[in-house]
């Protein structure tokens, strides 16, 4: 099973700042990695797929990069609605696995 | 508009059973693989099970294999998860999710809470 490790566990930033979230895989997943955003009491929302492609309707301030084992989600300038939990997920192997999540909180 | 709505959660004793349902609308249900994903309190997301659009192929996480069964009724646009031999560690919010691009999930339900406790 591929283990995804996200860091940091919690990131405290202010609106307007740049956020950089990391996801590291225990073995290569090529570019088969997605990022999801989840707000309290809500369903996860697909943000990025195949490491760097924005899903439909996702603002351009969200970008993804990486391949192999190291991936990054960047939010260029934080908006108030961006404070949430972010999950990474791989589709390279079965079982599909998720990271433990990074909570992005307002500083 | 794509909608997924889970139901069937609740409090159950260890060793008991529950059947979750996921009613869908807004898309051609039979054209899409579906999955169940859960989130235990304070934990990350855990993929549990997958079923192909036609219902012929399934897959399970080791943590639920032999205890949980995924199924679907394409005439009712509904996905199911039969959960048997429930354990305390199965306590979680259970989401159904639409499969997309061979392994991602593009639409999710808000989830139904399952609590396993005596």
């Amino acid at each position: 099973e591929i283990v995804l490790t996200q860091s940091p566990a919690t990131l405290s930033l202010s609106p307007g700042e740049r956020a950089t979230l990391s996801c590291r895989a225990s073995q290569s997943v090529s570019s088969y990695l997605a990022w999801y955003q989840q707000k309290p009491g809500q369903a996860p929302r697909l943000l990025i797929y195949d490491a760097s492609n924005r899903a439909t309707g996702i603002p351009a301030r969200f970008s993804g990069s990486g391949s192999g084992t190291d991936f990054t989600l960047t939010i260029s300038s934080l908006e108030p609605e961006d404070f949430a939990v972010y999950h990474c997920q791989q589709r390279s192997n079965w079982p599909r696995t998720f990271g433990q999540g990074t909570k992005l909180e307002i500083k | 508009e794509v909608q997924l709505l889970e139901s069937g959660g609740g409090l159950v004793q260890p060793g008991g059973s529950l059947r979750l349902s996921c009613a869908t609308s807004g898309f051609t249900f039979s054209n899409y693989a579906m999955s169940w994903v859960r989130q235990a309190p304070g934990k990350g997301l855990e993929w549990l099970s997958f079923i192909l659009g036609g219902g012929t192929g399934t897959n399970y996480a080791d943590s639920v294999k032999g205890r949980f069964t995924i199924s679907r009724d394409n005439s009712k646009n509904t996905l199911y998860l039969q959960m048997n031999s429930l354990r305390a560690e199965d306590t979680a919010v259970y989401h159904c999710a639409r499969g997309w691009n061979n392994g991602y999930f593009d639409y999710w339900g808000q989830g139904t809470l399952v609590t396993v406790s005596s």
Side-chain angles (χ1 to χ4, degrees):
Chain A
E1 168 174 321
I2 294 176
V3 176
L4 299 179
T5 302
Q6 292 187 241
S7 61
T10 303
L11 183 59
S12 299
L13 293 170
S14 300
E17 290 193 293
R18 181 184 187 90
T20 303
L21 289 68
S22 175
C23 178
R24 176 164 290 179
S26 60
Q27 65 188 76
S28 176
V29 298
S30 185
S31 294
Y32 300 133
L33 189 106
W35 292 92
Y36 300 84
Q37 177 193 67
Q38 187 178 24
K39 297 179 181 179
Q42 295 187 17
R45 177 173 70 146
L46 178 64
L47 298 176
I48 300 288
Y49 67 94
D50 288 347
S52 61
N53 297 298
R54 277 190 301 278
T56 302
I58 302 304
R61 65 180 181 273
F62 291 91
S63 64
S65 63
S67 66
T69 61
D70 289 299
F71 299 86
T72 300
L73 173 70
T74 301
I75 310 171
S76 59
S77 178
L78 286 165
E79 298 287 340
E81 61 267 28
D82 298 336
F83 292 91
V85 176
Y86 291 83
H87 308 272
C88 58
Q89 177 242 326
Q90 63 82 22
R91 73 164 183 88
S92 174
N93 281 20
W94 293 99
R96 307 311 193 202
T97 51
F98 294 84
Q100 81 280 16
T102 288
K103 182 180 181 181
L104 178 56
E105 65 177 22
I106 300 176
K107 187 174 182 180
Chain B
E1 180 189 5
V2 173
Q3 293 190 331
L4 294 80
L5 182 63
E6 302 92 341
S7 61
L11 176 63
V12 61
Q13 292 188 338
S17 298
L18 274 179
R19 188 196 199 200
L20 305 184
S21 299
C22 171
T24 72
S25 61
F27 65 103
T28 304
F29 182 63
S30 60
N31 286 351
Y32 288 86
M34 298 292 295
S35 280
W36 287 96
V37 179
R38 70 184 177 188
Q39 187 167 28
K43 303 285 188 178
L45 297 166
E46 179 188 14
W47 170 83
L48 299 179
S49 186
F50 159 95
I51 187 167
L52 288 173
T56 54
T58 59
N59 202 353
Y60 295 91
D62 285 346
S63 60
V64 303
K65 197 173 294 183
R67 300 189 299 125
F68 291 10
T69 302
I70 191 171
S71 62
R72 63 193 297 159
D73 186 334
N74 286 345
S75 69
K76 295 182 178 180
N77 297 329
T78 301
L79 177 72
Y80 303 100
L81 185 68
Q82 177 66 43
M83 305 187 297
N84 298 332
S85 303
L86 284 162
R87 308 164 179 166
E89 54 264 36
D90 294 318
T91 294
V93 174
Y94 286 71
H95 298 274
C96 58
R98 191 176 83 167
W100 180 76
N101 199 5
N102 197 27
Y104 303 126
F105 310 104
D106 62 345
Y107 286 94
W108 299 61
Q110 290 203 328
T112 186
L113 176 62
V114 172
T115 303
V116 184
S117 175
S118 56

